[in-house]
Amino acid sequence: KEFSKSLQFLSLVFYVPGNGASTISVEAYKKYVLVSLLLNGKYVALSFGNGKGVQREVRHLCAEYHEIEADAKSMIWDNLEKKYKGCLSRDGNYGLFKQVIVALKMHRVKRLQDTFITLSRQEVSARANIPEEEVEGLLVRMVKSGHVRVKLDHKTDMVRFESNDCGEDTGAVVATLAKEVERSMEYTRKLRKLADGLACSQPYLDAKVKAAASKGSFPGPNHE
């Protein structure tokens, strides 16, 4: 699922010229709000290229979706789902919203990693407002997706967050290093080829002979 591309495509709807909100722009904006929450853990303001009037009208027609964003900060996930299930189902966005809830929980846990090194499972549950029985499953999911690096000690029931600096996107780092090595080798090959060409060129050979003669390396015509 390429939600980043989806967010970009949804934003392009608001650069289509128009005098007012259309059904397409309203539905696109509703999905934009949800996908923005899913990707960023918050609503990222959208630039309306088709005018302030369209912006005001669309935001007014999508007021419930901005309420979702505001209520999400409370982290009362069950209440959030119950409160908006009706409008989300009506709009055909309930399935996407359920993914948003999971993503918001992940964002909350990710923020814990930025603050703490070690927490108990109970503390993770309390700080992210996630049922304790869901904590391990969510952490496993986050590790598999590369969002965090953690170790869960079942004996002590402690969660240890590990630095993601070295392990994050390892494949991309390796690929970049491979490209740099290949580029360096290519430069070396070109320099070697250039050096070999110069060593065999007539001007270089003439200059070398002259330099050797000036140092007396070659016998002169009167030398016996």
Side-chain angles (χ1 to χ4, degrees), residues 203-220:
Y204 174 79
L205 293 174
D206 290 344
K208 191 173 182 180
V209 169
K210 287 180 181 180
S214 66
K215 292 180 180 180
S217 300
F218 295 110

